[in-house]
Amino acid sequence: MLCAYTALIDSKPLQKEFERFYIDNRCLGMGKAYELLGDISMSEDALSEAFLRLAKCFQKVHSLPYHKLQAYFVIIVRNVSVDLLRKQSRTEEVSFSEEHFAAEQTDELPDSDSGVLARCIGMLGDTDREILYLRFELELDYDEISRALGISVDAARHRVHHARQRLKALFEEGRGNEG
């Protein structure tokens, strides 16, 4: 299966780097998938899909620090696993239109001292923290986020928008409690 992933990568040095990452992290990915799915076969499917998605965008993300690349990979595994659970229970994913986001012009996090912002981010749910991490820490665009998470571009915009709104509300609440 590794050959199929590396075939998606053009550069030989990047192929070698992906191979090392694959060998070092396949147990980690399998463990995370199994935590969510509780089934070996489904976990293997999730891991395979996660490595496929990583291979498709590896040229963009390979230069991240190793721990951030691992975190990115774990997020992919988690989301692929959730997608498999959704398919299993036949839940449909909602698509959102561009007009929904027309009111939101800026794509920045609130300015503040890092302590207040860090506490607010810590209060967010896992999904909100992950989407903000992908958008603002890894600086992925909506198209890259949608490919990594296996969602539509509109859904990626929607998730970032709502995570930012929740963070802004927590931040404003936290600033009010400071003074």
Side-chain angles (χ1 to χ4, degrees):
M1 197 65 188
L2 181 58
C3 291
Y5 305 137
T6 56
L8 297 171
I9 302 169
D10 296 332
S11 157
K12 289 286 184 196
L14 283 182
Q15 288 176 346
K16 292 291 184 193
E17 189 176 336
F18 185 86
E19 286 177 29
R20 281 192 303 275
F21 186 84
Y22 175 87
I23 291 167
D24 292 345
N25 292 283
R26 63 184 167 197
C27 290
L28 170 68
M30 185 66 171
K32 294 297 180 183
Y34 189 77
E35 280 177 30
L36 289 167
L37 298 168
D39 178 81
I40 297 279
S41 179
M42 285 180 67
S43 299
E44 289 172 346
D45 290 346
L47 184 63
S48 177
E49 177 64 24
F51 274 119
L52 181 65
R53 289 183 187 180
L54 182 64
K56 287 179 180 178
C57 65
F58 196 70
Q59 187 164 349
K60 168 82 175 166
V61 298
H62 82 280
S63 60
L64 291 171
Y66 193 78
H67 70 282
K68 288 186 178 185
L69 184 58
Q70 268 186 320
Y72 180 69
F73 174 66
V74 168
I75 290 169
I76 294 172
V77 169
R78 178 194 163 280
N79 286 295
V80 168
S81 299
V82 169
D83 286 346
L84 285 175
L85 287 173
R86 283 186 185 138
K87 286 178 186 174
Q88 186 179 27
S89 65
R90 302 190 193 285
T91 304
E92 292 184 11
E93 189 169 321
V94 179
S95 178
F96 301 95
S97 66
E98 289 286 330
E99 295 87 38
H100 182 78
F101 304 100
E104 187 64 34
Q105 297 297 322
T106 181
D107 200 19
E108 299 173 0
L109 292 173
D111 289 327
S112 85
D113 75 69
S114 59
V116 173
L117 189 56
R119 280 193 306 275
C120 292
I121 290 171
M123 294 168 65
L124 291 171
D126 290 342
T127 304
D128 288 341
R129 282 196 310 271
E130 288 171 358
I131 199 79
L132 292 175
Y133 176 80
L134 293 173
R135 181 71 179 129
F136 298 103
E137 181 68 24
L138 298 182
E139 298 179 352
L140 300 180
D141 62 32
Y142 294 115
D143 187 54
E144 293 165 329
I145 292 170
S146 74
R147 284 194 311 264
L149 301 182
I151 60 176
S152 70
V153 174
D154 290 336
R157 281 191 185 99
H158 174 77
R159 288 184 186 181
V160 170
H161 171 79
H162 284 282
R164 287 184 63 249
Q165 293 300 336
R166 285 187 278 275
L167 179 59
K168 182 179 176 184
L170 288 170
F171 176 72
E172 290 171 355
E173 184 179 303
R175 293 289 291 206
N177 293 338
E178 278 184 354

